[in-house]
Amino acid sequence: MAQAKNYNLDQKFDFTDSVKKVIFILGGIGALLLVLGILAAALGGGHGEEGGHAFHWTQRLFANLWINNVYFTGIAIIGVFFFAIQYAAQAGWSTALLRIMLSFGYWLPIAAVLMLVTFFIANHDLFHWTHSYVFDKADAGYDRIIDGKGNFFYWPMEKGTFPIFYIVRMVLFFGFWVFFFNKLKSLSYEEDLQGGTSYWYTLRKWSAIFLVFFAVSSSISAWDWVMSIDTHWFSTLFGWYVFASWFVAGLSAITLVTVFLKDQGYLEMVNQNHIHDLGKFVFAFSIFWTYIWFSQFLLIYYANIPEESVYFIERLSSDVYGPYIFVNIVLNFVLPFLVLMTRDAKRHNIFLKLVCTLIILGHWVDFFLMVQPGTLGHNGGVGLMELGMLLVYGSAFAFVALSNLSKHNLIAKNHPMLEESYHHHI
């Protein structure tokens, strides 16, 4: 590695007080907005009727917790997923960026606790299938369709009691995700100490195993955590759709952290060609997300089957959610398509900062549209509570990722393809 002397391969990110201050300020603003939103909802009419049942402002709080739990869990696991992709694909260009991807995985144990706690506290306010009366044929609220799907949530327990099959899946998914993250992390850091090529081969093997498990678990988790909110409705594309949204948001977050570190004087070996490649990934998978969104929408629109079309009708025809359908499309397709189309735009930090920040916001809107209509109906919307919760979660995620990124070398210094990353040119 003749070129290695030009770079500090033992460089570590200094998580300075000034950076922490910015994160704490944003988190503090978010907490203030969240409290103001809760007070406004509690004191200003956060009660009413929804679907024949009394609505309480806490349901909106729980819906927001669920939106951000699922969204930031996705960004975290995408960091691990993209890390594993580099090894499975035997990629060399991204060697200098591997530790950024890996740092996102530190959120997963926190996400697991937040998801489980939120579900146990708020399941009746989030999921209609958790109410026992929908399975009771003698009850006026009996639902034949939900009853038919009950075993997917409750087996082997009696339907309407304790959703053990659902809980077991959630625990298994998070358990294996955290296991694979820790395995990949420990091997990567061990490679820094020992060198050689054996760790690369071992990482490639474990990455391939993880990717197979992720392919299955990411789809089923999308059905469990999001699609089952609208229990009557289903889409065979939904697993892909949630993955696409997670992936674009995760790629945007990786790009933002990379650009941030470059602006701070780190990652000397990362050049405009690496930045260009990240921009291409964001651009390409924004198109992929749009393809999935339009495919799902067009098939349902064209078939015009009531039990399928109701999903989009209740969103498009709503004064609360209708405008956000178009915000979703503009932020997640029109903006990246037009701004990142040229080669130069994908190589300039200012464009990437703007677009990636708006994409992260845009895909939060995407999950907002997946969750709130089915949980809150006309009592939803974007207000102080939503903005505050997003800032709190975003700040917490950034703090966890950056604080752990600062504990190890920024560069996988003994990676056998480091030389290829030095000379990456497109």
Side-chain angles (χ1 to χ4, degrees):
M1 292 187 183
Q3 265 65 28
K5 63 184 180 182
N6 298 328
Y7 303 107
N8 177 13
L9 297 183
D10 291 309
Q11 186 180 65
K12 290 187 177 181
F13 167 59
D14 182 14
F15 193 22
T16 61
D17 290 339
S18 60
V19 176
K20 292 177 183 176
K21 183 179 179 180
V22 171
I23 293 174
F24 289 147
I25 288 173
L26 288 174
I29 293 172
L32 178 61
L33 292 175
L34 179 59
V35 170
L36 291 175
I38 290 172
L39 290 174
L43 302 175
H47 306 271
E49 292 286 327
E50 173 56 33
H53 301 281
F55 170 78
H56 193 271
W57 64 267
T58 53
Q59 292 173 245
R60 186 161 176 171
L61 177 66
F62 295 148
N64 279 296
L65 281 169
W66 199 252
I67 291 167
N68 288 283
N69 283 342
V70 174
Y71 185 50
F72 285 98
T73 294
I75 293 177
I77 195 61
I78 287 300
V80 184
F81 167 77
F82 202 48
F83 176 91
I85 283 286
Q86 309 311 312
Y87 282 93
Q90 305 181 49
W93 72 272
S94 55
T95 304
L97 308 175
L98 291 173
R99 294 291 161 77
I100 296 172
M101 306 169 198
L102 202 57
S103 68
F104 287 13
Y106 285 97
W107 181 256
L108 287 173
I110 300 169
V113 174
L114 290 171
M115 285 286 287
L116 284 165
V117 170
T118 304
F119 180 79
F120 279 115
I121 293 174
N123 60 82
H124 287 319
D125 294 314
L126 296 170
F127 300 99
H128 189 49
W129 54 263
T130 59
H131 295 273
S132 59
Y133 63 81
V134 301
F135 302 101
D136 184 359
K137 293 181 179 179
D139 194 286
Y142 171 72
D143 191 304
R144 183 178 58 84
I145 294 176
I146 296 178
D147 188 22
K149 299 180 179 184
N151 285 328
F152 184 69
F153 305 114
Y154 289 96
W155 181 88
M157 302 282 284
E158 183 181 347
K159 288 181 283 188
T161 54
F162 182 74
I164 189 168
F165 197 22
Y166 181 94
I167 296 296
V168 166
R169 286 197 299 271
M170 186 184 290
V171 171
L172 281 177
F173 293 161
F174 273 110
F176 276 105
W177 289 351
V178 171
F179 165 76
F180 281 116
F181 163 65
N182 284 327
K183 188 68 176 178
L184 296 173
K185 176 189 68 175
S186 62
L187 287 168
S188 183
Y189 294 149
E190 190 69 20
E191 183 185 61
D192 280 359
L193 300 175
Q194 306 299 334
T197 59
S198 62
Y199 287 98
W200 183 86
Y201 285 105
T202 306
L203 277 160
R204 186 179 66 170
K205 178 186 72 176
W206 280 103
S207 293
I209 297 170
F210 164 70
L211 290 173
V212 173
F213 180 78
F214 177 78
V216 177
S217 59
S218 62
S219 284
I220 298 176
S221 64
W223 307 340
D224 280 354
W225 305 343
V226 184
M227 194 169 72
S228 71
I229 290 171
D230 295 273
T231 320
H232 282 201
W233 182 83
F234 68 92
S235 166
T236 53
L237 272 173
F238 201 78
W240 280 106
Y241 179 67
V242 169
F243 164 75
S245 195
W246 273 349
F247 195 32
V248 180
L251 288 170
S252 298
I254 291 167
T255 304
L256 278 180
V257 174
T258 302
V259 170
F260 164 73
L261 291 173
K262 283 293 291 180
D263 287 347
Q264 297 293 311
Y266 299 101
L267 302 177
E268 300 101 321
M269 71 178 66
V270 174
N271 56 46
Q272 289 305 302
N273 301 288
H274 296 89
I275 302 297
H276 186 185
D277 268 349
L278 288 173
K280 286 193 292 185
F281 269 108
V282 172
F283 177 80
F285 282 94
S286 291
I287 307 300
F288 175 73
W289 172 87
T290 310
Y291 161 70
I292 297 294
W293 187 95
F294 185 71
S295 297
Q296 182 172 260
F297 175 80
L298 183 65
L299 288 171
I300 291 172
Y301 171 82
Y302 187 77
N304 199 25
I305 300 171
E307 52 264 44
E308 292 181 352
S309 59
V310 65
Y311 183 85
F312 287 103
I313 288 172
E314 71 179 5
R315 286 158 173 79
L316 284 167
S317 63
S318 167
D319 292 335
V320 177
Y321 305 110
Y324 291 104
I325 290 279
F326 299 99
V327 171
N328 191 25
I329 295 169
V330 169
L331 289 181
N332 296 324
F333 169 62
V334 177
L335 176 78
F337 181 75
L338 294 179
V339 176
L340 294 182
M341 186 181 293
T342 66
R343 172 184 169 90
D344 286 346
K346 291 189 280 284
R347 299 170 75 91
H348 283 81
N349 290 0
I350 187 67
F351 287 111
L352 290 172
K353 287 178 185 176
L354 174 65
V355 172
C356 289
T357 301
L358 291 175
I359 284 175
I360 290 171
L361 175 62
H363 282 284
W364 179 89
V365 171
D366 195 21
F367 277 88
F368 158 82
L369 286 169
M370 293 184 219
V371 174
Q372 272 211 14
T375 55
L376 303 180
H378 66 271
N379 293 296
V382 176
L384 296 178
M385 195 185 298
E386 284 71 24
L387 296 175
M389 190 78 78
L390 174 60
L391 282 174
V392 168
Y393 267 81
S395 300
F397 183 93
F399 183 85
V400 169
L402 293 178
S403 61
N404 284 285
L405 184 64
S406 68
K407 295 176 182 178
H408 301 275
N409 288 350
L410 270 178
I411 306 295
K413 65 179 183 180
N414 287 322
H415 193 289
M417 295 188 181
L418 199 56
E419 187 77 15
E420 183 178 334
S421 192
Y422 295 154
H423 303 293
H424 181 55
H425 179 75
I426 52 174

PDB file of all heavy atoms in Angstrom, residues 392-414:
ATOM      1  N   VAL A 392     -36.806  15.058  18.066  1.00  0.00           N
ATOM      2  CA  VAL A 392     -36.286  14.312  19.223  1.00  0.00           C
ATOM      3  C   VAL A 392     -35.646  13.004  18.765  1.00  0.00           C
ATOM      4  O   VAL A 392     -34.519  12.674  19.152  1.00  0.00           O
ATOM      5  CB  VAL A 392     -37.409  14.043  20.251  1.00  0.00           C
ATOM      6  CG1 VAL A 392     -36.954  13.026  21.289  1.00  0.00           C
ATOM      7  CG2 VAL A 392     -37.823  15.344  20.942  1.00  0.00           C
ATOM      8  N   TYR A 393     -36.358  12.256  17.942  1.00  0.00           N
ATOM      9  CA  TYR A 393     -35.820  10.982  17.449  1.00  0.00           C
ATOM     10  C   TYR A 393     -34.593  11.202  16.567  1.00  0.00           C
ATOM     11  O   TYR A 393     -33.595  10.466  16.678  1.00  0.00           O
ATOM     12  CB  TYR A 393     -36.889  10.219  16.672  1.00  0.00           C
ATOM     13  CG  TYR A 393     -37.673   9.239  17.510  1.00  0.00           C
ATOM     14  CD1 TYR A 393     -38.725   9.671  18.314  1.00  0.00           C
ATOM     15  CD2 TYR A 393     -37.374   7.886  17.506  1.00  0.00           C
ATOM     16  CE1 TYR A 393     -39.453   8.773  19.088  1.00  0.00           C
ATOM     17  CE2 TYR A 393     -38.102   6.979  18.271  1.00  0.00           C
ATOM     18  CZ  TYR A 393     -39.136   7.439  19.059  1.00  0.00           C
ATOM     19  OH  TYR A 393     -39.858   6.543  19.833  1.00  0.00           O
ATOM     20  N   GLY A 394     -34.668  12.185  15.676  1.00  0.00           N
ATOM     21  CA  GLY A 394     -33.535  12.457  14.788  1.00  0.00           C
ATOM     22  C   GLY A 394     -32.291  12.848  15.558  1.00  0.00           C
ATOM     23  O   GLY A 394     -31.173  12.391  15.251  1.00  0.00           O
ATOM     24  N   SER A 395     -32.457  13.684  16.581  1.00  0.00           N
ATOM     25  CA  SER A 395     -31.325  14.115  17.404  1.00  0.00           C
ATOM     26  C   SER A 395     -30.748  12.945  18.192  1.00  0.00           C
ATOM     27  O   SER A 395     -29.526  12.787  18.295  1.00  0.00           O
ATOM     28  CB  SER A 395     -31.761  15.227  18.364  1.00  0.00           C
ATOM     29  OG  SER A 395     -32.242  16.345  17.655  1.00  0.00           O
ATOM     30  N   ALA A 396     -31.623  12.123  18.759  1.00  0.00           N
ATOM     31  CA  ALA A 396     -31.165  10.955  19.525  1.00  0.00           C
ATOM     32  C   ALA A 396     -30.413   9.983  18.617  1.00  0.00           C
ATOM     33  O   ALA A 396     -29.356   9.454  18.995  1.00  0.00           O
ATOM     34  CB  ALA A 396     -32.347  10.263  20.187  1.00  0.00           C
ATOM     35  N   PHE A 397     -30.939   9.752  17.422  1.00  0.00           N
ATOM     36  CA  PHE A 397     -30.284   8.854  16.472  1.00  0.00           C
ATOM     37  C   PHE A 397     -28.908   9.400  16.087  1.00  0.00           C
ATOM     38  O   PHE A 397     -27.912   8.645  16.066  1.00  0.00           O
ATOM     39  CB  PHE A 397     -31.148   8.693  15.220  1.00  0.00           C
ATOM     40  CG  PHE A 397     -30.594   7.725  14.205  1.00  0.00           C
ATOM     41  CD1 PHE A 397     -30.990   6.398  14.218  1.00  0.00           C
ATOM     42  CD2 PHE A 397     -29.682   8.138  13.249  1.00  0.00           C
ATOM     43  CE1 PHE A 397     -30.480   5.494  13.298  1.00  0.00           C
ATOM     44  CE2 PHE A 397     -29.161   7.251  12.320  1.00  0.00           C
ATOM     45  CZ  PHE A 397     -29.566   5.921  12.334  1.00  0.00           C
ATOM     46  N   ALA A 398     -28.838  10.688  15.780  1.00  0.00           N
ATOM     47  CA  ALA A 398     -27.560  11.307  15.400  1.00  0.00           C
ATOM     48  C   ALA A 398     -26.547  11.213  16.533  1.00  0.00           C
ATOM     49  O   ALA A 398     -25.364  10.919  16.308  1.00  0.00           O
ATOM     50  CB  ALA A 398     -27.784  12.766  15.005  1.00  0.00           C
ATOM     51  N   PHE A 399     -26.999  11.453  17.769  1.00  0.00           N
ATOM     52  CA  PHE A 399     -26.092  11.384  18.915  1.00  0.00           C
ATOM     53  C   PHE A 399     -25.534   9.972  19.092  1.00  0.00           C
ATOM     54  O   PHE A 399     -24.331   9.787  19.306  1.00  0.00           O
ATOM     55  CB  PHE A 399     -26.799  11.835  20.192  1.00  0.00           C
ATOM     56  CG  PHE A 399     -25.906  11.858  21.402  1.00  0.00           C
ATOM     57  CD1 PHE A 399     -25.112  12.962  21.663  1.00  0.00           C
ATOM     58  CD2 PHE A 399     -25.842  10.779  22.265  1.00  0.00           C
ATOM     59  CE1 PHE A 399     -24.265  12.990  22.766  1.00  0.00           C
ATOM     60  CE2 PHE A 399     -25.010  10.780  23.366  1.00  0.00           C
ATOM     61  CZ  PHE A 399     -24.213  11.896  23.617  1.00  0.00           C
ATOM     62  N   VAL A 400     -26.390   8.978  19.011  1.00  0.00           N
ATOM     63  CA  VAL A 400     -25.954   7.581  19.190  1.00  0.00           C
ATOM     64  C   VAL A 400     -24.984   7.183  18.087  1.00  0.00           C
ATOM     65  O   VAL A 400     -23.928   6.584  18.353  1.00  0.00           O
ATOM     66  CB  VAL A 400     -27.175   6.639  19.208  1.00  0.00           C
ATOM     67  CG1 VAL A 400     -26.735   5.176  19.118  1.00  0.00           C
ATOM     68  CG2 VAL A 400     -27.999   6.862  20.466  1.00  0.00           C
ATOM     69  N   ALA A 401     -25.311   7.508  16.832  1.00  0.00           N
ATOM     70  CA  ALA A 401     -24.456   7.122  15.708  1.00  0.00           C
ATOM     71  C   ALA A 401     -23.100   7.825  15.773  1.00  0.00           C
ATOM     72  O   ALA A 401     -22.048   7.180  15.636  1.00  0.00           O
ATOM     73  CB  ALA A 401     -25.153   7.435  14.385  1.00  0.00           C
ATOM     74  N   LEU A 402     -23.094   9.144  16.001  1.00  0.00           N
ATOM     75  CA  LEU A 402     -21.839   9.894  15.996  1.00  0.00           C
ATOM     76  C   LEU A 402     -20.978   9.587  17.218  1.00  0.00           C
ATOM     77  O   LEU A 402     -19.743   9.530  17.110  1.00  0.00           O
ATOM     78  CB  LEU A 402     -22.129  11.395  15.907  1.00  0.00           C
ATOM     79  CG  LEU A 402     -22.745  11.884  14.590  1.00  0.00           C
ATOM     80  CD1 LEU A 402     -23.025  13.374  14.645  1.00  0.00           C
ATOM     81  CD2 LEU A 402     -21.842  11.561  13.404  1.00  0.00           C
ATOM     82  N   SER A 403     -21.599   9.403  18.376  1.00  0.00           N
ATOM     83  CA  SER A 403     -20.817   9.106  19.576  1.00  0.00           C
ATOM     84  C   SER A 403     -20.118   7.758  19.433  1.00  0.00           C
ATOM     85  O   SER A 403     -18.958   7.596  19.854  1.00  0.00           O
ATOM     86  CB  SER A 403     -21.704   9.122  20.820  1.00  0.00           C
ATOM     87  OG  SER A 403     -22.722   8.138  20.743  1.00  0.00           O
ATOM     88  N   ASN A 404     -20.762   6.780  18.831  1.00  0.00           N
ATOM     89  CA  ASN A 404     -20.129   5.480  18.632  1.00  0.00           C
ATOM     90  C   ASN A 404     -19.149   5.500  17.464  1.00  0.00           C
ATOM     91  O   ASN A 404     -18.149   4.773  17.476  1.00  0.00           O
ATOM     92  CB  ASN A 404     -21.195   4.405  18.407  1.00  0.00           C
ATOM     93  CG  ASN A 404     -21.882   4.000  19.699  1.00  0.00           C
ATOM     94  OD1 ASN A 404     -21.320   3.290  20.528  1.00  0.00           O
ATOM     95  ND2 ASN A 404     -23.101   4.490  19.899  1.00  0.00           N
ATOM     96  N   LEU A 405     -19.408   6.335  16.470  1.00  0.00           N
ATOM     97  CA  LEU A 405     -18.461   6.493  15.371  1.00  0.00           C
ATOM     98  C   LEU A 405     -17.125   7.037  15.876  1.00  0.00           C
ATOM     99  O   LEU A 405     -16.057   6.701  15.338  1.00  0.00           O
ATOM    100  CB  LEU A 405     -19.055   7.437  14.314  1.00  0.00           C
ATOM    101  CG  LEU A 405     -18.261   7.663  13.022  1.00  0.00           C
ATOM    102  CD1 LEU A 405     -18.138   6.366  12.225  1.00  0.00           C
ATOM    103  CD2 LEU A 405     -18.922   8.750  12.179  1.00  0.00           C
ATOM    104  N   SER A 406     -17.170   7.858  16.917  1.00  0.00           N
ATOM    105  CA  SER A 406     -15.956   8.493  17.441  1.00  0.00           C
ATOM    106  C   SER A 406     -15.083   7.552  18.272  1.00  0.00           C
ATOM    107  O   SER A 406     -13.962   7.897  18.621  1.00  0.00           O
ATOM    108  CB  SER A 406     -16.342   9.706  18.298  1.00  0.00           C
ATOM    109  OG  SER A 406     -16.993   9.293  19.490  1.00  0.00           O
ATOM    110  N   LYS A 407     -15.582   6.350  18.577  1.00  0.00           N
ATOM    111  CA  LYS A 407     -14.858   5.441  19.472  1.00  0.00           C
ATOM    112  C   LYS A 407     -13.865   4.528  18.756  1.00  0.00           C
ATOM    113  O   LYS A 407     -13.076   3.845  19.398  1.00  0.00           O
ATOM    114  CB  LYS A 407     -15.862   4.590  20.260  1.00  0.00           C
ATOM    115  CG  LYS A 407     -16.729   5.410  21.202  1.00  0.00           C
ATOM    116  CD  LYS A 407     -17.787   4.539  21.888  1.00  0.00           C
ATOM    117  CE  LYS A 407     -18.675   5.375  22.797  1.00  0.00           C
ATOM    118  NZ  LYS A 407     -19.742   4.558  23.428  1.00  0.00           N
ATOM    119  N   HIS A 408     -13.918   4.504  17.431  1.00  0.00           N
ATOM    120  CA  HIS A 408     -13.035   3.619  16.660  1.00  0.00           C
ATOM    121  C   HIS A 408     -12.484   4.373  15.455  1.00  0.00           C
ATOM    122  O   HIS A 408     -12.915   5.480  15.140  1.00  0.00           O
ATOM    123  CB  HIS A 408     -13.796   2.373  16.201  1.00  0.00           C
ATOM    124  CG  HIS A 408     -14.373   1.571  17.320  1.00  0.00           C
ATOM    125  ND1 HIS A 408     -13.654   0.622  18.008  1.00  0.00           N
ATOM    126  CD2 HIS A 408     -15.614   1.573  17.884  1.00  0.00           C
ATOM    127  CE1 HIS A 408     -14.405   0.070  18.938  1.00  0.00           C
ATOM    128  NE2 HIS A 408     -15.607   0.623  18.889  1.00  0.00           N
ATOM    129  N   ASN A 409     -11.546   3.749  14.768  1.00  0.00           N
ATOM    130  CA  ASN A 409     -10.980   4.363  13.569  1.00  0.00           C
ATOM    131  C   ASN A 409     -12.070   4.646  12.543  1.00  0.00           C
ATOM    132  O   ASN A 409     -12.983   3.828  12.350  1.00  0.00           O
ATOM    133  CB  ASN A 409      -9.939   3.444  12.938  1.00  0.00           C
ATOM    134  CG  ASN A 409      -8.656   3.358  13.752  1.00  0.00           C
ATOM    135  OD1 ASN A 409      -8.461   4.130  14.693  1.00  0.00           O
ATOM    136  ND2 ASN A 409      -7.782   2.433  13.386  1.00  0.00           N
ATOM    137  N   LEU A 410     -11.948   5.772  11.882  1.00  0.00           N
ATOM    138  CA  LEU A 410     -12.903   6.114  10.826  1.00  0.00           C
ATOM    139  C   LEU A 410     -12.706   5.244   9.591  1.00  0.00           C
ATOM    140  O   LEU A 410     -13.642   5.044   8.815  1.00  0.00           O
ATOM    141  CB  LEU A 410     -12.746   7.587  10.428  1.00  0.00           C
ATOM    142  CG  LEU A 410     -13.593   8.624  11.173  1.00  0.00           C
ATOM    143  CD1 LEU A 410     -13.255  10.022  10.681  1.00  0.00           C
ATOM    144  CD2 LEU A 410     -15.071   8.343  11.006  1.00  0.00           C
ATOM    145  N   ILE A 411     -11.493   4.751   9.400  1.00  0.00           N
ATOM    146  CA  ILE A 411     -11.165   3.963   8.212  1.00  0.00           C
ATOM    147  C   ILE A 411     -10.853   2.529   8.616  1.00  0.00           C
ATOM    148  O   ILE A 411     -10.148   2.286   9.600  1.00  0.00           O
ATOM    149  CB  ILE A 411      -9.940   4.555   7.479  1.00  0.00           C
ATOM    150  CG1 ILE A 411     -10.155   6.046   7.160  1.00  0.00           C
ATOM    151  CG2 ILE A 411      -9.631   3.770   6.205  1.00  0.00           C
ATOM    152  CD1 ILE A 411     -11.278   6.316   6.194  1.00  0.00           C
ATOM    153  N   ALA A 412     -11.390   1.582   7.857  1.00  0.00           N
ATOM    154  CA  ALA A 412     -11.029   0.168   8.060  1.00  0.00           C
ATOM    155  C   ALA A 412      -9.626  -0.020   7.477  1.00  0.00           C
ATOM    156  O   ALA A 412      -9.453  -0.430   6.328  1.00  0.00           O
ATOM    157  CB  ALA A 412     -12.044  -0.738   7.366  1.00  0.00           C
ATOM    158  N   LYS A 413      -8.608   0.283   8.285  1.00  0.00           N
ATOM    159  CA  LYS A 413      -7.248   0.488   7.780  1.00  0.00           C
ATOM    160  C   LYS A 413      -6.584  -0.768   7.224  1.00  0.00           C
ATOM    161  O   LYS A 413      -5.642  -0.675   6.435  1.00  0.00           O
ATOM    162  CB  LYS A 413      -6.368   1.092   8.871  1.00  0.00           C
ATOM    163  CG  LYS A 413      -6.147   0.203  10.082  1.00  0.00           C
ATOM    164  CD  LYS A 413      -5.243   0.894  11.085  1.00  0.00           C
ATOM    165  CE  LYS A 413      -4.957  -0.021  12.290  1.00  0.00           C
ATOM    166  NZ  LYS A 413      -4.063   0.665  13.264  1.00  0.00           N
ATOM    167  N   ASN A 414      -7.044  -1.949   7.617  1.00  0.00           N
ATOM    168  CA  ASN A 414      -6.452  -3.188   7.106  1.00  0.00           C
ATOM    169  C   ASN A 414      -7.353  -3.910   6.112  1.00  0.00           C
ATOM    170  O   ASN A 414      -7.160  -5.098   5.840  1.00  0.00           O
ATOM    171  CB  ASN A 414      -6.113  -4.127   8.274  1.00  0.00           C
ATOM    172  CG  ASN A 414      -4.899  -3.635   9.054  1.00  0.00           C
ATOM    173  OD1 ASN A 414      -3.941  -3.123   8.475  1.00  0.00           O
ATOM    174  ND2 ASN A 414      -4.944  -3.786  10.370  1.00  0.00           N
TER     175      ASN A 414
END
